[in-house]
Amino acid sequence: MCWYLLLIFGIWIFVSFLTYRYLIQKKNLFQKEIFFKKSSNVLFVIAHPDDECMFFGPSITAMVQPSLSNSSSRRKQAKDVYILCLSDGNADGLGETRREELKKSCKILGLADSNVLIHNGPVFFEDSQDSVWDSKAIADTLHLYIKKLNIDSIITFDKDGISGHLNHKSIYHGVLQLMKNGKRRVAVRVFILETVSVFRKYLGFIDSVFIKPDALICTSDWINRTNIQNAMAAHKSQYVWFRRLYITFSRYLFFNTFIPIEIH
């Protein structure tokens, strides 16, 4: 019986790995949706320094990391990708440290300092597990950056915020507020990162067998996954044991799956 279970588990791992390898070949579909279906300036909206590599690493690296086959195209795309962090992660009084860590992390991911934006008012968004950010304030803030950077695609959290953090959830509701704002409506495509169960979250590449065939997916290959792990290590103030485990087992280091929302 024990050998039978081991055999079944081994087959599952093998099939998962083949599925993951297939998804790596399919990763360009997300880039086509973003960059080629419509010429885009893309804005990743995150809540805290380290969100970029803990959750959005596969999609960021796929867009900005040079490849041997298409390096000139990737470099052009990198100029059009921005990260907006709404707080400086000052919950423990480490705001300035975490600002610098974010810049170092994003440099490893392939982004220039000029493309990494840390919001600094006039509205202040407090980094706190207990803080629900005002939806209208988020919508107004996003509107300013969208106009300033000529953004037409936003990538951010869904309603569950991946980890359930209230700040993450607040961004989603701020985006909804932006969609409802008739007077200041903007033509922006929004892609929200899908939250999965805790069980699936820590299956790593094995979770690939649970992804729907028609999912809008962006996958990191082994090289980009290493870059994402190195980017997380750049957040030295946050690089504690459970985050080390996270970047080893989390499916968000292997792939991102997105749900599109249209803002007309």
Side-chain angles (χ1 to χ4, degrees), residues 88-95 98 127-128 237-238 243:
D88 60 5
N90 196 39
D92 299 316
L94 298 173
R98 298 197 66 186
D127 173 14
S128 171
S237 68
Q238 307 300 304
R243 286 194 175 89

Side-chain angles (χ1 to χ4, degrees), residues 82-117:
Y82 300 87
I83 289 182
L84 170 61
C85 188
L86 291 183
S87 82
D88 60 5
N90 196 39
D92 299 316
L94 298 173
E96 191 58 39
T97 297
R98 298 197 66 186
R99 283 172 174 266
E100 293 303 315
E101 290 174 347
L102 177 60
K103 292 178 182 178
K104 291 178 181 177
S105 169
C106 289
K107 185 175 182 179
I108 294 171
L109 294 177
L111 288 162
D113 282 355
S114 58
N115 287 44
V116 182
L117 311 168

Side-chain angles (χ1 to χ4, degrees), residues 7 10 21 30 82 155 158 190 199 208 237 244 264:
L7 177 63
R21 294 296 301 173
F30 180 75
Y82 300 87
I155 299 175
D158 68 2
V190 177
F199 171 72
S208 59
S237 68
R244 292 173 186 263
H264 300 288

Side-chain angles (χ1 to χ4, degrees), residues 54-55 157 160-165 168 193-207 210 245-255:
M54 288 189 67
F55 307 116
F157 298 102
D160 296 312
I162 311 302
S163 63
H165 199 299
H168 298 177
L193 183 62
E194 180 186 17
T195 297
V196 297
S197 67
V198 174
F199 171 72
R200 287 184 58 189
K201 184 176 181 179
Y202 292 103
L203 284 178
F205 71 84
I206 298 175
D207 187 56
F210 297 111
L245 289 177
Y246 177 90
I247 66 172
T248 301
F249 296 105
S250 173
R251 58 103 71 178
Y252 293 100
L253 271 286
F254 290 91
F255 34 71

Side-chain angles (χ1 to χ4, degrees), residues 166-185:
L166 290 180
N167 297 165
H168 298 177
K169 293 180 178 182
S170 296
I171 295 178
Y172 171 78
H173 291 290
V175 170
L176 291 186
Q177 181 70 31
L178 180 68
M179 296 171 68
K180 297 174 183 177
N181 193 335
K183 294 181 180 179
R184 305 179 69 180
R185 185 169 296 177

Side-chain angles (χ1 to χ4, degrees), residues 19-20 22-33 58-59 62 191 193-194 207-208 211-220 251 254-259:
T19 304
Y20 172 62
Y22 167 74
L23 292 176
I24 288 176
Q25 303 302 317
K26 189 182 176 184
K27 68 181 180 181
N28 284 338
L29 293 180
F30 180 75
Q31 291 172 258
K32 290 178 181 178
E33 181 72 12
S59 47
F191 299 87
L193 183 62
E194 180 186 17
D207 187 56
S208 59
I211 295 176
K212 297 177 182 179
D214 60 346
L216 191 56
I217 185 170
C218 195
T219 310
S220 62
R251 58 103 71 178
F254 290 91
F255 34 71
N256 293 152
T257 48
F258 294 97
I259 301 169

